Amino acid sequence: MDTCRIPENASKCSGNTMECFMVLSTQAQKISIGILCGLFGTMCVFENSLVLYLIFSSPGIRKKPSYLFIGSLALADILASIIFVCSFVNFHVFNKAAFSKEVFLLQLGGVNTSFSASLSSLLLTALDRYISISRPSEYKLLMTRKRAWTALGVLWVTCATIAYLPLLGWNCCVLDSACSELFPFVDDNYLSGWICFTMLLLGCIVYAYAHVLWRARQHVAYMEKHQAQVGKQNTRMRMDVMLAKTLVMVLAVLTLCWSPVLVLIIYSIFARLSDRLRKVFAFCSTLCLLNSMVNPVIYALRSKELFSSLRRVFSHFRRQLKASEESPEAESTHKSSVLET
């Protein structure tokens, strides 16, 4: 039997009912969520910060639009991790609900903006690969740095606008409409619209990658037949195929991590959720952090340019560490020789 029934629409908008969304009932569940969020969140921030450093510290890498989009993805994952972990742990683990509807919707908008921007950055990366493989001779003319930055600006503004619609008035308190069973104050119609927006992004990504993989297979067959003639163009094609396969791996991880959350959100729109399913949703939400944590690992292992930049950073760090270890020894040797003299 449910211990906390969610009230009718009118009473859902009161601050007291926030406790009904705190679905973790035992200390073990709270500790588990806290550990998962802390581990995934910390690793995600560290790894994506490293990716951003590798991209923008290397002049050759940061000039390429492909890596600007990957940098946007890393930035979105960092923001999503920080905002999500702080708000999620504060709400579900420490059970702090002493804030207004506006503050809650502001936090939720930040999480939605970051995760939507992450998915949209992956879409831009897919379109970049689509143009690079389908029209390689015109790629540099079509995909310039100015156009890449413009696309990123439109992306972030669009994601922020959609994410903050509940704060601007599209919520069940203002409209006196059906509220979501998973998110306080969120209107079910808005949640349906957000799901459609997310599915549209996923559909466009899948379409772009289907074409990329088809062209990649054609390139592989072409390279095998004309190995001697293509020369430098051969290397370019191999890089495109490699990056395409890398981003398909990213898409596969994205789908596996987001599917449980999206399925439960869609189910909540059409049916009433039990307390058990709402607890499952809380744990599945941490998979979104896992996705953000895995992406940089795939880049480091699959991108030769990022991997080479990472090796240079570690080599420089080891040289500095070795120099710092040797300097005290040299100084002590110098002092002893002075004393002997």
Side-chain angles (χ1 to χ4, degrees), residues 134-155:
S134 62
R135 304 174 72 176
S137 60
E138 304 174 32
Y139 173 76
K140 289 187 177 180
L141 294 175
L142 294 174
M143 189 57 67
T144 61
R145 292 191 72 216
K146 182 178 180 180
R147 289 181 178 178
W149 281 112
T150 302
L152 288 174
V154 172
L155 177 158

Side-chain angles (χ1 to χ4, degrees), residues 292-326:
S292 299
M293 186 184 74
V294 170
N295 284 346
V297 178
I298 298 176
Y299 302 147
L301 292 177
R302 299 284 297 180
S303 172
K304 290 184 178 180
E305 291 175 300
L306 281 181
F307 188 71
S308 298
S309 180
L310 181 62
R311 289 181 62 182
R312 286 195 300 271
V313 169
F314 276 120
S315 298
H316 179 68
F317 176 74
R318 281 192 299 180
R319 285 196 300 269
Q320 284 189 332
L321 189 62
K322 189 176 180 180
S324 64
E325 289 177 352
E326 290 177 352

Side-chain angles (χ1 to χ4, degrees), residues 6-306:
I6 300 179
E8 296 301 323
N9 294 336
S11 58
K12 279 185 190 178
C13 298
S14 64
N16 296 331
T17 59
M18 294 282 284
E19 297 177 358
C20 294
F21 292 88
M22 300 175 182
V23 295
L24 303 182
S25 55
T26 65
Q27 197 67 22
Q29 293 173 353
K30 294 180 181 180
I31 292 175
S32 300
I33 284 287
I35 292 174
L36 289 175
C37 287
L39 178 62
F40 292 164
T42 302
M43 291 298 296
C44 179
V45 171
F46 172 75
E47 292 172 359
N48 284 285
S49 298
L50 182 59
V51 169
L52 282 178
Y53 175 78
L54 293 177
I55 290 174
F56 290 100
S57 64
S58 176
I61 293 178
R62 68 168 177 259
K63 290 180 181 179
K64 298 181 179 181
S66 302
Y67 289 102
L68 289 179
F69 299 145
I70 291 176
S72 174
L73 178 60
L75 176 62
D77 285 339
I78 290 173
L79 294 177
S81 300
I82 294 173
I83 302 173
F84 176 84
V85 169
C86 292
S87 58
F88 194 80
V89 171
N90 193 43
F91 187 81
H92 284 290
V93 177
F94 297 108
N95 298 137
K96 292 184 179 179
F99 41 78
S100 63
K101 175 191 73 175
E102 288 75 17
V103 172
F104 178 84
L105 292 178
L106 182 67
Q107 293 178 349
L108 185 63
V111 174
N112 284 345
T113 298
S114 303
F115 280 127
S116 298
S118 177
L119 188 59
S120 300
S121 297
L122 190 58
L123 173 60
L124 287 183
T125 312
L127 294 176
D128 176 74
R129 290 300 90 205
Y130 177 89
I131 297 173
S132 177
I133 286 185
S134 62
R135 304 174 72 176
S137 60
E138 304 174 32
Y139 173 76
K140 289 187 177 180
L141 294 175
L142 294 174
M143 189 57 67
T144 61
R145 292 191 72 216
K146 182 178 180 180
R147 289 181 178 178
W149 281 112
T150 302
L152 288 174
V154 172
L155 177 158
W156 281 89
V157 170
T158 302
C159 291
T161 302
I162 295 174
Y164 282 105
L165 285 176
L167 182 62
L168 297 175
W170 192 354
N171 58 72
C172 57
C173 298
V174 174
L175 302 177
D176 194 22
S177 56
C179 292
S180 169
E181 293 187 11
L182 294 174
F183 306 101
F185 315 122
V186 175
D187 179 64
D188 265 345
N189 292 326
Y190 168 79
L191 202 57
S192 301
W194 185 82
I195 287 291
C196 291
F197 172 68
T198 304
M199 291 300 184
L200 178 63
L201 291 177
L202 286 173
C204 292
I205 293 172
V206 170
Y207 173 80
Y209 277 121
H211 185 84
V212 165
L213 287 178
W214 175 64
R215 292 303 297 265
R217 293 190 64 181
Q218 285 186 328
H219 282 180
V220 170
Y222 180 81
M223 285 187 290
E224 290 176 353
K225 289 182 179 180
H226 304 84
Q227 188 75 22
Q229 290 92 337
V230 278
K232 192 174 180 180
Q233 188 180 2
N234 188 8
T235 305
R236 170 69 182 174
M237 287 181 177
R238 277 210 173 101
M239 289 176 60
D240 288 338
V241 172
M242 185 74 172
L243 191 50
K245 290 180 179 178
T246 299
L247 295 171
V248 167
M249 291 175 62
V250 174
L251 179 60
V253 172
L254 177 79
T255 304
L256 290 174
C257 292
W258 276 84
S259 293
V261 171
L262 293 177
V263 168
L264 286 173
I265 291 177
I266 293 172
Y267 181 77
S268 71
I269 296 173
F270 299 100
R272 188 175 182 83
L273 295 178
S274 64
D275 280 354
R276 184 177 179 181
L277 282 178
R278 292 165 67 201
K279 289 177 183 178
V280 170
F281 177 79
F283 278 92
C284 287
S285 298
T286 60
L287 290 176
C288 302
L289 285 177
L290 179 62
N291 171 66
S292 299
M293 186 184 74
V294 170
N295 284 346
V297 178
I298 298 176
Y299 302 147
L301 292 177
R302 299 284 297 180
S303 172
K304 290 184 178 180
E305 291 175 300
L306 281 181

